[in-house]
Amino acid sequence: MNQFQSDILMVVPELFMLGMICLILVVDLFLEESRRDLTYWLSVLTLVGAFVLTATMFSFGEGNRLGFGGQFVMDDMAVLLKSSIYLIMIAVFVYSRPYLKDRELFRGEYYVLGLFGVLGMMIMVSAHNFLTIYLGLELLALSQYALVAISRDSGVASEAAVKYFVLGAIASGMLLYGMSILYGLSGSLDLAEISNYLATNTGKNLYMAFGLSFVVVGVGFKLGAVPFHMWVPDVYHGAPTSVTLYIGSAPKIAAFAMVIRLLVESMGSLFADWHQMLVVLAALSMAIGNVIAIAQSNIKRMLAYSTIAHVGFILMGILAGTPEGYSAAMFYAIVYAIMAAGGFGMILVLSRQGFEPENIEDFKGLNDRSPWFAFIMLLLMFSMAGVPPTVGFYAKFSVIQAAVRVDLVWLAVYAVVFSVVGAFYYLRVVKLMYFDKSDDDTVIAPVTDAGVVMSANGLLMLILGLFPGGLMALCANATNW
């Protein structure tokens, strides 16, 4: 097998994804409205196919496989994160279908843009070059901007889309400027070559720190970390909930991969510099995210500020700067994406034509109307709060443990304190479901596939909490550089 064939084989899942997107785009063009379900099923089939291709063509322990002149990498981290993205996106599409139908948004654009975003995530996860990272990031970002504005008659959605586009463009500019400075210094866009340059040239620390600062600012914007978080609650609130579900779940995994590729793989020798910046971002995110979430009455805004707080925990694992810290952060990012999919998915499952449980008060008396979905929501809230034996507890415990092992005891104590603060608003939802009476007696009857996936999503919080070893071992193996 020559190099060209080897390179093409490495991107078979991406080529499959792109080919299916083109096919769905053409098929959807000729479909009657009553047969639009075919677009949905083809989209789900595409994700299943990509998962099978990734799982069968690449297995753990093969080591790094570089292709296209070092621009693309397939390693254990890429296999694990891509597989997680596919599975979470299947759940996103399943939850979204009845919601989109009820609001006359069930169009092929949602699925085509959603899949283009998945392709962007796949490229970000496997990128080994500044330009490849940027290509994947923009493909994902442009898909998200368009998705937020998919409800063209909604002024709130249009406002959110414009705000997201403007702030996202600024963030991309910051990131690109930082990359250009590092390219000017090193003369290369390859992550490995930049890493070698930074490790052997310490005489231009000021310029390197300047480039690094812009990269961290761009990454902070994309992650939604404080003080670059202001777009998060407005976009989460303004976008249709099916789009909020999309933005708030799988892209966090891709963003985590981007941070690892940029900061750890290419700028590991500048650890002392970016470590200090991440400490500030993590501490501010945990404090402001948890405190402001308490004051929210809209559950989408509450979960948005919750996202900011969880980003602080993910950053805490990364800034530990050890393999244990990286694997704990990866574990946290995957678990958080599953929790967010369940949290926003529950809003969709409980929605019906003309009604959407956007306010926290809308969850009053849920146990009387549907004990099963109240229990599933309880598991999701407990997991986000970090209550044992759910997986959220283990995720928080592992990043705190990683911080303690590098003598960041004060940050670990700080994280525990704000976890307790954050538990208030999660447990408030549980209290409303179980101890308050509902004014609405409407029977909850979700579509069968959405109900089944939601049940599996909630129970996964308990199963992964009782048996976290398998996923944790995969994360440890994926970060064993």
Side-chain angles (χ1 to χ4, degrees):
M1 184 183 300
N2 59 36
Q3 186 61 44
F4 176 74
Q5 291 171 324
S6 176
D7 288 350
I8 292 297
L9 279 178
M10 284 183 64
V11 294
V12 165
E14 282 78 8
L15 292 176
F16 172 75
M17 178 67 67
L18 183 60
M20 286 301 292
I21 291 171
C22 295
L23 176 67
I24 292 168
L25 197 60
V26 173
V27 169
D28 185 75
L29 195 63
F30 296 99
L31 277 179
E32 296 174 9
E33 197 65 34
S34 58
R35 302 183 66 187
R36 192 72 69 199
D37 276 336
L38 182 60
T39 303
Y40 160 76
W41 285 112
L42 280 174
S43 303
V44 172
L45 186 66
T46 301
L47 292 167
V48 173
F51 177 82
V52 172
L53 282 173
T54 304
T56 53
M57 294 186 66
F58 308 99
S59 58
F60 289 103
E62 287 186 346
N64 293 358
R65 293 170 59 182
L66 287 171
F68 297 97
Q71 295 188 58
F72 196 87
V73 62
M74 205 64 184
D75 52 10
D76 291 343
M77 186 175 89
V79 175
L80 177 60
L81 296 187
K82 283 183 186 179
S83 302
S84 304
I85 288 169
Y86 304 142
L87 295 177
I88 290 169
M89 282 306 302
I90 290 173
V92 169
F93 283 170
V94 171
Y95 294 148
S96 300
R97 182 170 62 145
Y99 175 89
L100 295 170
K101 281 185 173 180
D102 287 344
R103 284 150 188 79
E104 298 181 353
L105 295 172
F106 191 56
R107 300 192 290 261
E109 292 94 314
Y110 178 82
Y111 295 99
V112 170
L113 287 169
L115 291 176
F116 266 123
V118 174
L119 182 59
M121 291 184 233
M122 293 165 74
I123 294 172
M124 285 171 70
V125 167
S126 280
H128 199 257
N129 180 287
F130 276 173
L131 279 185
T132 320
I133 290 174
Y134 192 72
L135 177 70
L137 178 64
E138 286 307 290
L139 185 55
L140 171 62
L142 291 173
S143 304
Q144 289 180 328
Y145 303 150
L147 278 172
V148 173
I150 199 167
S151 179
R152 286 170 292 192
D153 298 330
S154 169
V156 179
S158 300
E159 181 185 338
V162 171
K163 185 175 287 187
Y164 193 20
F165 175 73
V166 172
L167 293 178
I170 293 172
S172 297
M174 294 278 187
L175 186 63
L176 202 56
Y177 191 51
M179 287 178 173
S180 66
I181 291 174
L182 292 169
Y183 170 68
L185 289 172
S186 64
S188 174
L189 293 169
D190 184 83
L191 299 188
E193 290 182 16
I194 292 169
S195 177
N196 290 334
Y197 175 84
L198 295 177
T200 54
N201 292 273
T202 56
K204 295 181 180 177
N205 279 336
L206 181 62
Y207 304 112
M208 292 176 189
F210 200 55
L212 173 66
S213 300
F214 277 98
V215 169
V216 171
V217 169
V219 165
F221 261 113
K222 295 298 179 185
L223 280 171
V226 177
F228 314 109
H229 67 291
M230 293 310 293
W231 62 272
V232 179
D234 291 343
V235 172
Y236 276 38
H237 184 204
T241 306
S242 59
V243 177
T244 308
L245 163 66
Y246 182 102
I247 295 173
S249 54
K252 298 299 178 197
I253 296 177
F256 166 81
M258 182 178 73
V259 175
I260 293 292
R261 299 290 187 207
L262 281 175
L263 296 185
V264 179
E265 290 193 15
S266 73
M267 289 180 259
S269 56
L270 300 181
F271 171 76
D273 297 310
W274 57 257
H275 168 267
Q276 295 173 8
M277 298 181 199
L278 293 198
V279 166
V280 174
L281 296 185
L284 287 176
S285 298
M286 285 187 278
I288 292 177
N290 278 317
V291 170
I292 299 183
I294 293 173
Q296 303 304 313
S297 58
N298 181 289
I299 194 162
K300 286 166 70 178
R301 292 188 77 86
M302 186 198 89
L303 291 176
Y305 281 104
S306 155
T307 297
I308 295 166
H310 285 291
V311 164
F313 276 93
I314 294 172
L315 290 177
M316 189 166 73
I318 296 171
L319 64 86
T322 59
E324 291 78 16
Y326 300 142
S327 65
M330 183 183 291
F331 182 84
Y332 201 112
I334 294 172
V335 166
Y336 172 71
I338 300 171
M339 291 191 298
F344 288 112
M346 183 60 79
I347 300 174
L348 299 184
V349 167
L350 300 182
S351 297
R352 59 181 184 274
Q353 198 160 22
F355 172 75
E356 188 171 333
E358 273 203 358
N359 295 316
I360 297 172
E361 293 288 321
D362 293 330
F363 283 79
K364 283 168 65 174
L366 180 61
N367 184 50
D368 296 332
R369 298 167 59 205
S370 174
W372 176 247
F373 285 115
F375 174 66
I376 294 297
M377 190 63 174
L378 176 141
L379 290 177
L380 290 165
M381 291 294 106
F382 273 11
S383 188
M384 287 192 184
V387 176
T390 57
V391 67
F393 167 76
Y394 192 81
K396 281 187 166 63
F397 176 75
S398 56
V399 292
I400 289 171
Q401 190 179 43
V404 169
R405 283 181 177 166
V406 293
D407 295 330
L408 283 170
V409 178
W410 71 269
L411 188 60
V413 174
Y414 180 91
V416 171
V417 169
F418 279 102
S419 288
V420 174
V421 172
F424 172 81
Y425 56 87
Y426 295 121
L427 297 182
R428 183 174 57 180
V429 177
V430 175
K431 179 255 181 190
L432 286 171
M433 291 192 302
Y434 282 91
F435 298 103
D436 286 23
K437 290 293 179 188
S438 173
D439 300 327
D440 185 1
D441 295 328
T442 308
V443 177
I444 296 171
V447 177
T448 304
D449 53 354
V452 170
V453 174
M454 175 52 68
S455 301
N457 195 336
L459 291 176
L460 205 55
M461 299 297 98
L462 194 58
I463 295 169
L464 282 176
L466 294 172
F467 308 102
L471 181 57
M472 196 68 219
L474 289 175
C475 292
N477 188 54
T479 53
N480 186 24
W481 298 301

